[in-house]
Amino acid sequence: MFVQKHDKNKRLPLEVTLNDLSKLAAQLLRERTYLFIEENLKTFNLQEGKSKVKQGASKREAKRKLTTLDQSYNQIPDAGSLCEALQKPTYKLTKLNLSVNQITYAGVVSLCEALQTPTCQLTTLNLSVNQITDAGVGRLCAALQTPTCKLTTLDLSVNQITDAGVGRLCEALQTPICKLTILDLSVNQITDAGVVSLCEALQTPTCQLTTLDLTGNKITYAGFVSLCEALQTPTCQLTTLYLGGNKITDAGVVSLCEALQTPTCKLTTLDLTGNKITYAGVVSLCAALQTLTCKLATLDLSANQITDAGVGSLCAALQTPTCKLTTLDLSGNQITDAGVVSLCEALQTSTCKLTTLHLTGNKITDAGVDSLCEALQTPTYVLGVDTRVSFLPLLSLERAWVKERRGTLEKNRA
């Protein structure tokens, strides 16, 4: 397929271009005049698109079918034309990105009608940074409970969803016909009450969720305790959990560690970014990491309050044969060259399994880099290390990255 850069001086107003372009794409796909393998409609304007279609394409290209479509960062209010095309038997789209647009309840209604048709093939839908709200979530849940809906991945981050919307989602998740395995609810308005509803759903044998993102909500220790109880149940299928930018603290980490040591807990990836975790919390985590039953392979502790003392405890755990960690993110903490020396000693042991280490945004100097370079030359050293060191003053990183994400995405919505 063709990709041609915009001529900013000649293009039409954005809302006109995207509306016409969406109609053109839908028309061509309905008529089978032109079929795409994958396209990003942000990369060319309407006149360029029409020109290229008129020129024709090879027979081989013409037989290709669209599977992925990205219309993010535009000003699409409802995507009605696209929804009509999604219901056509000739339309083979499986992944659709409509993030950072202006989709409201009305647009969700149109999408849900398409999702419920037997001919719609969508399995991945990104509606991040729109105006869905709890009302739109209700319609989506009705679609998810339809046997013909094939969605397995749904992104609803930054959509003003509250505990009420989460309650509706949980009802859908517990039905045997709901196929969702990945759900992103980051940067919404979910509190501990919403987490309790999610935990009830997660413990239901029919719930198929394996990945849940609750980054940047309003979850405290109480909600975290509920999550930990759910993680220990044999029926909970979660393997990946994102809890960055909440209010977990060291107390919550203690409860988490109890869950991680339970044989029935299936977590392999855990994100605790920006949760005010200190040395005490790290010690608890290290005790869990050394147990035979803990399955964690990826751990993100960036933007916390971890010092060289905490790194020392982590290093002891990393050298334990039963520790399974392969990826560790310690970016944005308070680690100095002394902590790097401890890490290098651990990395050189044959029992350490780390292959990826992030140390960006700490207090590491050339001396620390020298230690890493020496370790790199050790035969037992298997690390692929990210040593980009920031010499800027350490910011209040605990929530800065969540605020930056929220600000950037919502600015694009305005």
Side-chain angles (χ1 to χ4, degrees):
M1 180 52 188
F2 52 85
V3 176
Q4 187 168 335
K5 191 175 181 180
H6 279 292
D7 182 346
K8 295 183 178 180
N9 296 322
K10 296 181 180 180
R11 68 181 183 184
L12 295 169
L14 183 60
E15 61 274 16
V16 176
T17 298
L18 265 297
N19 183 53
D20 290 346
L21 190 55
S22 297
K23 291 179 180 179
L24 172 65
Q27 177 186 345
L28 294 174
L29 290 162
R30 282 198 301 266
E31 298 174 353
R32 305 190 73 175
T33 306
Y34 196 89
L35 300 178
F36 313 92
I37 184 66
E38 179 173 348
E39 197 50 80
N40 181 341
L41 294 184
K42 297 179 295 182
T43 57
F44 56 92
N45 62 37
L46 181 62
Q47 297 305 317
E48 292 168 342
K50 286 183 175 178
S51 174
K52 289 292 182 180
V53 170
K54 288 179 180 178
Q55 291 176 20
S58 69
K59 292 182 179 179
R60 182 178 179 182
E61 287 180 325
K63 292 179 181 178
R64 291 176 178 175
K65 296 180 175 64
L66 175 72
T67 58
T68 302
L69 182 62
D70 186 346
Q71 285 193 314
S72 60
Y73 289 89
N74 291 301
Q75 299 179 27
I76 301 171
D78 53 35
S81 299
L82 185 57
C83 292
E84 292 178 12
L86 285 171
Q87 300 176 60
K88 300 295 181 180
T90 52
Y91 203 82
K92 306 300 180 183
L93 192 71
T94 59
K95 296 179 181 180
L96 177 60
N97 185 355
L98 293 173
S99 62
V100 199
N101 280 288
Q102 298 176 5
I103 299 173
T104 64
Y105 175 77
V108 172
V109 170
S110 299
L111 277 168
C112 290
E113 290 175 358
L115 289 171
Q116 296 177 72
T117 59
T119 48
C120 180
Q121 303 298 317
L122 271 191
T123 59
T124 300
L125 178 59
N126 188 343
L127 291 173
S128 174
V129 198
N130 280 288
Q131 301 168 32
I132 306 300
T133 73
D134 294 336
V137 170
R139 290 305 298 259
L140 279 167
C141 291
L144 289 172
Q145 297 177 71
T146 306
T148 49
C149 178
K150 302 173 181 65
L151 274 192
T152 59
T153 300
L154 179 61
D155 189 340
L156 294 174
S157 57
V158 198
N159 267 295
Q160 305 170 40
I161 298 169
T162 70
D163 296 336
V166 172
R168 295 296 302 275
L169 274 169
C170 291
E171 292 174 6
L173 290 171
Q174 296 177 68
T175 59
I177 49 183
C178 178
K179 303 173 182 66
L180 273 192
T181 58
I182 300 173
L183 178 60
D184 190 340
L185 293 173
S186 60
V187 196
N188 279 292
Q189 300 168 24
I190 301 168
T191 69
D192 295 336
V195 172
V196 170
S197 298
L198 280 167
C199 291
E200 291 177 2
L202 289 171
Q203 297 176 70
T204 306
T206 48
C207 179
Q208 301 179 45
L209 272 194
T210 59
T211 299
L212 177 61
D213 193 340
L214 293 172
T215 299
N217 280 285
K218 301 176 181 179
I219 303 168
T220 68
Y221 171 74
F224 202 53
V225 170
S226 298
L227 270 172
C228 292
E229 292 174 356
L231 290 171
Q232 297 177 67
T233 60
T235 47
C236 179
Q237 303 299 316
L238 275 191
T239 59
T240 301
L241 180 60
Y242 298 93
L243 290 169
N246 284 288
K247 299 177 181 179
I248 307 302
T249 73
D250 294 335
V253 173
V254 172
S255 296
L256 173 66
C257 291
E258 293 176 4
L260 290 174
Q261 297 177 67
T262 307
T264 48
C265 179
K266 303 173 181 65
L267 275 192
T268 58
T269 299
L270 177 63
D271 186 343
L272 295 175
T273 301
N275 270 294
K276 298 184 178 179
I277 298 170
T278 68
Y279 173 74
V282 172
V283 169
S284 298
L285 275 169
C286 290
L289 289 171
Q290 296 177 68
T291 60
L292 184 63
T293 48
C294 180
K295 303 173 182 65
L296 273 192
T298 299
L299 178 61
D300 192 339
L301 293 173
S302 60
N304 280 290
Q305 300 170 20
I306 300 170
T307 63
D308 293 337
V311 171
S313 295
L314 281 167
C315 291
L318 289 171
Q319 297 176 69
T320 307
T322 48
C323 179
K324 303 172 182 65
L325 275 192
T326 59
T327 299
L328 177 62
D329 193 337
L330 294 173
S331 303
N333 280 285
Q334 300 168 25
I335 302 167
T336 70
D337 294 336
V340 173
V341 170
S342 299
L343 278 167
C344 290
E345 292 174 356
L347 293 169
Q348 295 176 69
T349 61
S350 58
T351 49
C352 180
K353 302 175 182 66
L354 270 194
T355 58
T356 303
L357 174 63
H358 299 276
L359 294 171
T360 306
N362 281 287
K363 301 177 180 180
I364 302 168
T365 69
D366 292 343
V369 175
D370 287 340
S371 297
L372 282 167
C373 290
E374 290 179 12
L376 284 168
Q377 300 174 59
T378 305
T380 53
Y381 195 84
V382 295
L383 186 67
V385 62
D386 175 357
T387 54
R388 293 171 297 170
V389 182
S390 171
F391 292 95
L392 295 174
L394 204 62
L395 308 173
S396 292
L397 287 172
E398 293 141 344
R399 293 180 182 273
W401 67 279
V402 173
K403 290 179 180 178
E404 181 180 358
R405 179 183 179 188
R406 187 196 297 270
T408 301
L409 296 180
E410 292 192 344
K411 183 179 179 181
N412 282 294
R413 177 198 295 173

